[in-house]
Amino acid sequence: MGQQETADVDEVFRVETHGIDPIPDAERHGSAKDLFWLWFGSNLTFTYVINGALAVAFGLSFWQATAVVVIGGLSFFAISAAGLSGIRTGTATLVISRATFGVRGNFPAGVLNWVVSIGYTIVNTVVGTLALEVFFAEIGWQGAAAGRAVALLVTLALTFAVAMWGHATVQFAERWMAYVLAAGFGVLLLFVLPGTDTAAPAAAPGLSGWSLAFVVMLAGPFSYLPMPADYTRYLPRTTSLKSITWTGALGGFLSSVALGVAGVAAATQTDMTDAVAGAEGLLPGWFQPLFLALVLGGSVTNSIITLYSSSLNLQVLGIPWSRARAIVISAAVTAAGSLAALFLTDFTTSLLSFLSLLIIVFAPWGGVFLADMLLRRCHYDADALHAGSAGAYWYRSGYHPAGIAALLTGMTFAALTCDSELWTGPLVAPLGGADLTLLGSVVSGLTYWALTRRRVAAYAPAA
């Protein structure tokens, strides 16, 4: 009996047995501060340095680009707030969104989210592998192919081991890696910021430059929208919703803004076309190996949460496996994609272009989900979320007409105003080259509110 009572305890370095099934109150634990370390650590990734440098490349001055970085960091308030429903339901975000789109209507976004999660995990894995490969070369490793293979194996092993163990280990790893990465990136800032040319003249960015800079800075945070409840579902119901929003948002804001500003500062001093090489050239020789370790560590911390959420995502899609077994599928696809990206350069370019295009779906998706959450005040019928056709969220043949209509409206607007390598919307030229894809979230959210404000109400559980 004693063994059965502790079978589902969420512990560090013990394989988590829960998946998308609701977490019982007796097994809830932790506090809001855990979310600070989760979002702080997972966003100490070199990607934000690259994004900051791109803002300058689009023609913005140091102060203009810094303003974009700060505004981008504020988006973590929306990301963190999206996790509030996890407290009330004890389940994952993509289960909760069944209330917004219907059980069947939720399926397409679930498929695309899994693709996005794996895509970003591949990108991070490749960045970490290349950084480790350069480190091997600097310490005298002979044999490029062997060095790259070992670097890939190490990067995948670090990511998979933590994500496979599950929720408690993910939070533990993010916190302790955050301590190390924050110290290291803090030193990087000390080397990069003093040489910043704040008076560097900027080419007139125009509306196109501003909009592209915002898309680059906000695309990453928006990709998190389908996963925040994955990390709040274990918190006790008594946890303050305000504290959850603020602590999670502050974590993501601090790390993304600090590294974004580092990228902006570096771009005013050197060519950041190859961001890793450009930043490395601004650092003293003794720190360069540590810098490469920071790039690797940041790639791993970000990949851990996307890979973990992808295993829950597969369960939402109906894979009849435990979370720990489902993650093997995600890890295998990540490994195959990383091999292709490392040895087929065109694959990497195509993958990045494809991921950037998916903001057409996820900006509107996020707008509808957040609007629904506000209308319901984060109250859902937790049993109905898992009841399928017998539950209240089956709507019409498994689809919520208002949710689907609002999503399609937002996607249409986003597609018409998108400016990417794979697709340029017909309204981009009339708008002076502006990319207004992200406003698809506002359009979809307002559409959903207009369609449902008198019909969608917060679920009131029986006394």
Side-chain angles (χ1 to χ4, degrees):
M1 175 68 89
Q3 183 178 359
Q4 181 65 33
E5 290 174 351
T6 59
D8 294 332
V9 174
D10 185 39
E11 294 180 347
V12 177
F13 303 129
R14 180 174 179 176
V15 176
E16 177 191 7
T17 56
H18 283 299
I20 62 173
D21 53 304
I23 307 300
D25 287 346
E27 297 176 29
R28 304 280 191 101
H29 63 90
S31 64
K33 67 180 180 182
D34 295 331
L35 298 176
F36 172 85
W37 293 109
L38 177 85
W39 292 110
F40 181 69
S42 62
N43 285 284
L44 285 170
T45 173
F46 193 72
T47 301
Y48 289 106
V49 177
I50 298 173
N51 292 347
L54 283 173
V56 175
F58 292 143
L60 275 65
S61 68
F62 172 82
W63 294 112
Q64 290 171 335
T66 297
V68 171
V69 168
V70 171
I71 294 172
L74 292 174
S75 66
F76 278 96
F77 278 92
I79 306 304
S80 191
L84 299 179
S85 51
I87 295 285
R88 299 279 173 75
T89 62
T91 192
T93 304
L94 282 170
V95 175
I96 300 166
S97 60
R98 289 170 176 169
T100 310
F101 302 100
V103 176
R104 287 177 173 169
N106 190 55
F107 191 86
V111 173
L112 287 176
N113 181 66
W114 184 78
V115 171
V116 169
S117 296
I118 296 303
Y120 277 115
T121 305
I122 290 171
V123 171
N124 279 316
T125 299
V126 169
V127 171
T129 298
L130 294 177
L132 189 55
E133 181 186 13
V134 173
F135 175 77
F136 286 158
E138 290 185 354
I139 62 174
W141 181 287
Q142 298 298 320
R148 178 168 293 189
V150 172
L152 175 60
L153 184 62
V154 170
T155 306
L156 286 171
L158 290 172
T159 304
F160 174 72
V162 174
M164 187 274 296
W165 267 315
H167 175 266
T169 310
V170 167
Q171 289 196 319
F172 175 84
E174 293 290 354
R175 179 166 187 159
W176 285 97
M177 290 180 75
Y179 294 154
V180 177
L181 292 174
F185 278 119
V187 174
L188 181 143
L189 284 168
L190 292 177
F191 288 128
V192 172
L193 291 181
T196 304
D197 184 3
T198 58
L207 188 56
S208 175
W210 280 102
S211 65
L212 288 172
F214 275 113
V215 168
V216 165
M217 289 307 303
L218 291 169
F222 265 78
S223 70
Y224 291 132
L225 275 171
M227 66 177 71
D230 302 1
Y231 305 100
T232 59
R233 71 194 205 282
Y234 274 96
L235 292 176
R237 293 180 188 272
T238 54
T239 308
S240 163
L241 299 187
K242 182 178 180 180
S243 66
I244 290 172
T245 302
W246 276 90
T247 53
L250 187 60
F253 176 84
L254 289 176
S255 51
S256 64
V257 169
L259 296 185
V261 171
V264 173
T268 67
Q269 305 170 59
T270 188
D271 180 12
M272 290 288 283
T273 304
D274 182 341
V276 173
E280 191 176 18
L282 299 175
L283 305 173
W286 66 266
F287 188 72
Q288 290 177 4
L290 295 177
F291 165 70
L292 295 172
L294 291 176
V295 175
L296 170 63
S299 298
V300 170
T301 59
N302 195 261
S303 292
I304 285 171
I305 66 166
T306 54
L307 189 61
Y308 173 78
S309 286
S310 75
S311 63
L312 298 175
N313 198 156
L314 287 174
Q315 288 190 313
V316 173
L317 295 177
I319 299 295
W321 289 1
S322 67
R323 180 208 59 82
R325 289 181 64 194
I327 205 171
V328 175
I329 299 176
S330 295
V333 176
T334 298
S338 299
L339 283 169
L342 287 166
F343 295 100
L344 300 173
T345 54
D346 289 343
F347 178 86
T348 305
T349 302
S350 299
L351 178 62
L352 287 170
S353 298
F354 175 67
L355 291 174
S356 66
L357 188 63
L358 286 183
I359 195 70
I360 290 175
V361 177
F362 283 102
W365 186 94
V368 180
F369 178 75
L370 290 173
D372 181 76
M373 192 182 73
L374 289 172
L375 287 168
R376 297 180 193 274
R377 298 179 178 84
C378 297
H379 286 288
Y380 298 85
D381 183 343
D383 293 332
L385 290 172
H386 300 270
S389 60
Y393 302 130
W394 187 250
Y395 301 112
R396 296 182 185 176
S397 301
Y399 299 90
H400 186 197
I404 301 299
L407 176 62
L408 292 176
T409 301
M411 287 175 59
T412 300
F413 176 87
L416 291 173
T417 59
C418 175
D419 184 14
S420 71
E421 290 186 14
L422 296 181
W423 167 258
T424 300
L427 295 183
V428 172
L431 290 170
D435 185 335
L436 303 183
T437 314
L438 293 171
L439 290 181
S441 60
V442 178
V443 171
S444 64
L446 290 176
T447 301
Y448 187 76
W449 176 83
L451 292 174
T452 63
R453 67 186 186 278
R454 296 178 181 176
R455 289 182 287 173
V456 170
Y459 169 73

